[in-house]
Amino acid sequence: MAKVTLSKSLHNNLKELSEQFNGSSNLKIRNLNVGDTIKREAAIIYMDGITNTQNIQDNILAPLLKMSRMDSIESVIKDHLSIMDVKAEALIDEIVLGLTKGKCFVIIDGYNQGILADAANWQKRSLSEPDTQRTIKGRMIGFNEQLKVNLNLLQNMIQTQKLKIESYQIGNEAKTDVALLFIDEYVDKKVLEEVKKKLQEVDIKYLLEARVIEDALEEKKTLFPLVFTSERPDVTVSALFEGRVVIIVNGLPFVLIVPCLFIHYFQQPDEYNSKAGRFGSRIFRLFSWLLALLLPAIYIAITRFHTGWFPSPFDKKLLTSETLLPFIWEVLILLFIFHSLLEATIRIPKNTTLLITLIGTTVIGETAVYAKIIHPLSLIIVGINFLTSIHIASGGLWGSLVLLRLVFVMIGYFFGLTGILIGLLLLILYMASLKSIGVPYLSPFIPFNAREMKDAIYRGDLRRLINSKHTYPHKENNKK
């Protein structure tokens, strides 16, 4: 389709642009006569509230009023305007897009193109410590919602010309700026090509959440997250030097990182900033994930099928229900209450969090047990399960954990420990079949890669990690 361009008539151009915004009240038009000796009618158009009017007045309006001669739009830009980001533009669509992004547009009568200059004045919050992946020792700064601020943080930490930044605009109705980052000599070329292809295929009216891009990168619905998210610039920089690709969406205080492996969710910044936890932290988190996944199911299976494994006093005191409900219902009710408490503390105002916590602990810890509705051991089991869940909740595995935990509780209730073991084996096989941008989800374990084990179960020597290049195995898509 032919692109609509400006005409040489100032009034026709103003009418066309006004119609594009349907008479919006925040579209401001400043009419003026430019030039010193030869006067020409002109107009400055901008969106009120998102532009810096002082910048427009000092670097655009004042120079235009003092012009002595005017040969072309290009000569006006080169000889008179002191603003940095400026260009000549004739396409209506590009002009409208620029205005919505905080730019101002100058039209001069007699020319079929105008001047599009950046004068944006977006509001942003100050940089603060990230809420997730917090660290005791290390950088205490996180991303915010402004794309340019986030790029500034990363470029400050990666001061090399090998860092490449590619810009995209996603959205048919409202365009959102998206940046694709990679380090040229480190990036996995197959991953980079696949990510570019998927970004170009995103076809939506507007982009408000990064979940849209995550869905496009994941290809199909899975129980596990195949795109890693991070609020920390240092984690992002490490990912770039590991050959991974980073995607930043304007308006969101976190980045997307691919490929994403299962082991990445058990790596924390503290391990790279201090000596403590080098060997045991990841094993502890993996064990916590298994407890969070299987502990309620094992408890149900033992109370239903395997009470004879334990001495009689232990069996009678702890594994025989003297409460009003069967063990399975106790566990399900406690899981529901704990999940409700977690949701409440996240959604409700901060000044009521303490009240909700006190009410929840009183109802669960004292009233339910005293009234013999909940067995004390059930409360302990679910409490431990909840605490181990929190260890890995910030990494992104919480959503899959909530569903799989209930599935294993049902398996334990009907099939016992044998069913749980079979279910765990099937889960591992399912995870081994997943891939993130063509990279197996369980690598470097499946398929096994001895060289990549230096940063898997334990954190290897930092000098060797920094100087070695990461490699990723690829699974080719099956073509029918």
Side-chain angles (χ1 to χ4, degrees):
M1 295 179 63
K3 299 288 186 179
V4 180
T5 59
L6 296 175
S7 66
K8 292 187 177 182
S9 170
L10 173 66
H11 299 289
N12 290 341
N13 292 333
L14 290 178
K15 181 180 178 182
E16 176 66 26
L17 291 175
S18 297
E19 290 176 354
Q20 290 288 331
F21 288 90
N22 296 320
S24 176
S25 60
N26 63 337
L27 180 69
K28 302 297 182 181
I29 300 176
R30 166 69 158 87
N31 293 292
L32 67 153
N33 293 320
V34 299
D36 189 12
T37 56
I38 301 177
K39 299 289 185 180
R40 282 182 180 270
E41 286 187 283
I44 299 177
I45 307 173
Y46 63 93
M47 301 293 290
D48 189 28
I50 62 174
T51 53
N52 188 332
T53 55
Q54 188 65 43
N55 188 12
I56 296 175
Q57 183 172 332
D58 295 341
N59 298 313
I60 297 177
L61 180 58
L64 288 176
L65 293 175
K66 297 177 182 178
M67 285 192 307
S68 58
R69 56 179 299 174
M70 183 171 31
D71 298 327
S72 64
I73 293 296
E74 285 77 11
S75 67
V76 174
I77 295 174
K78 292 179 180 179
D79 300 334
H80 301 284
L81 299 185
S82 58
I83 198 165
M84 293 297 295
D85 188 358
V86 60
K87 67 174 182 177
E89 187 58 67
L91 295 176
I92 296 294
D93 289 343
E94 293 297 322
I95 296 168
V96 171
L97 178 61
L99 290 172
T100 59
K101 291 184 176 296
K103 297 183 179 183
C104 72
F105 187 65
V106 180
I107 313 178
I108 301 175
D109 191 41
Y111 294 97
N112 60 357
Q113 61 179 177
I115 302 170
L116 194 61
D118 189 11
N121 184 30
W122 300 108
Q123 298 299 315
K124 58 180 181 292
R125 65 179 174 90
S126 59
L127 297 175
S128 59
E129 184 180 2
D131 292 330
T132 60
Q133 292 184 311
R134 297 169 65 183
T135 179
I136 299 173
K137 182 181 178 182
R139 297 177 183 269
M140 299 294 179
I141 193 171
F143 293 121
N144 74 1
E145 288 76 11
Q146 288 295 315
L147 176 63
K148 291 184 177 180
V149 174
N150 297 336
L151 291 176
N152 179 279
L153 290 174
L154 294 176
Q155 288 176 301
N156 179 53
M157 298 175 66
I158 311 177
Q159 297 182 6
T160 172
Q161 76 280 7
K162 295 178 182 178
L163 175 64
K164 306 299 181 183
I165 302 175
E166 296 185 2
S167 299
Y168 294 82
Q169 290 184 336
I170 296 179
N172 300 327
E173 191 68 30
K175 297 185 181 297
T176 300
D177 290 326
V178 175
L180 176 70
L181 286 77
F182 59 93
I183 299 180
D184 202 15
E185 292 187 7
Y186 293 86
V187 68
D188 187 295
K189 301 300 183 182
K190 291 184 178 180
V191 170
L192 180 61
E193 292 175 3
E194 188 69 17
V195 171
K196 288 182 179 181
K197 177 183 177 182
K198 292 184 181 301
L199 282 180
Q200 293 169 355
E201 292 175 351
V202 175
D203 184 17
I204 54 173
K205 292 182 179 179
Y206 62 91
L207 178 63
L208 187 61
E209 291 294 338
R211 184 66 245 176
V212 176
I213 297 180
E214 290 182 54
D215 287 341
L217 296 176
E218 290 178 352
E219 296 182 348
K220 61 181 181 180
K221 301 297 181 181
T222 64
L223 293 175
F224 293 90
L226 301 181
V227 178
F228 191 84
T229 61
S230 178
E231 298 180 19
R232 299 187 61 90
D234 53 348
V235 173
T236 305
V237 170
S238 296
L240 288 169
F241 276 108
E242 289 172 3
R244 297 154 74 187
V245 178
V246 172
I247 301 169
I248 308 178
V249 180
N250 187 40
L252 299 177
F254 58 88
V255 302
L256 309 178
I257 304 174
V258 288
C260 167
L261 308 181
F262 180 67
I263 193 62
H264 289 157
Y265 290 102
F266 301 91
Q267 301 171 349
Q268 294 296 330
D270 275 334
E271 301 164 15
Y272 301 92
N273 298 327
S274 62
K275 187 175 182 179
R278 173 182 175 183
F279 293 103
S281 293
R282 296 179 188 176
I283 296 175
F284 172 74
R285 294 189 192 102
L286 283 168
F287 181 68
S288 296
W289 179 75
L290 286 174
L291 284 181
L293 183 66
L294 302 177
L295 186 59
I298 294 174
Y299 174 62
I300 293 300
I302 290 175
T303 57
R304 182 169 169 81
F305 297 105
H306 310 291
T307 56
W309 290 1
F310 301 92
S312 180
F314 186 88
D315 178 18
K316 184 177 180 181
K317 185 68 178 177
L318 296 179
L319 300 180
T320 302
S321 179
E322 297 179 354
T323 57
L324 300 175
L325 298 173
F327 283 116
I328 178 67
W329 285 107
E330 291 179 10
V331 169
L332 292 176
I333 290 172
L334 285 173
L335 288 174
F336 173 78
I337 294 175
F338 274 103
H339 190 75
S340 299
L341 283 175
L342 180 63
E343 286 288 324
T345 54
I346 295 174
R347 312 298 176 192
I348 63 176
K350 291 183 179 180
N351 54 2
T352 60
T353 301
L354 181 60
L355 176 62
I356 295 298
T357 304
L358 288 174
I359 293 174
T361 52
T362 301
V363 170
I364 299 172
E366 295 183 14
T367 308
V369 174
Y370 181 76
K372 292 188 177 182
I373 299 175
I374 301 297
H375 197 284
L377 185 58
S378 299
L379 180 59
I380 294 172
I381 292 295
V382 177
I384 294 174
N385 177 259
F386 181 77
L387 290 176
T388 53
S389 302
I390 296 299
H391 291 166
I392 48 89
S394 62
L397 293 176
W398 175 262
S400 60
L401 181 62
V402 172
L403 176 61
L404 288 173
R405 182 168 49 195
L406 292 176
V407 172
F408 275 100
V409 166
M410 294 296 108
I411 292 175
Y413 180 76
F414 289 106
F415 304 104
L417 292 179
T418 303
I420 293 174
L421 290 175
I422 295 174
L424 182 60
L425 177 61
L426 293 176
L427 177 63
I428 294 174
L429 293 175
Y430 168 74
M431 295 170 66
S433 69
L434 300 177
K435 56 183 182 293
S436 175
I437 312 297
V439 178
Y441 193 52
L442 290 185
S443 59
F445 305 104
I446 304 175
F448 182 75
N449 187 344
R451 293 182 60 186
E452 292 298 322
M453 294 302 293
K454 59 183 178 293
D455 196 27
I457 293 297
Y458 67 96
R459 189 266 291 169
D461 183 76
L462 284 176
R463 291 170 297 177
R464 292 183 179 179
L465 287 179
I466 291 172
N467 292 328
S468 63
K469 185 176 181 180
H470 286 263
T471 57
Y472 301 100
H474 287 269
K475 283 184 177 181
E476 300 295 336
N477 292 325
N478 294 325
K479 296 182 180 181
K480 296 182 178 180

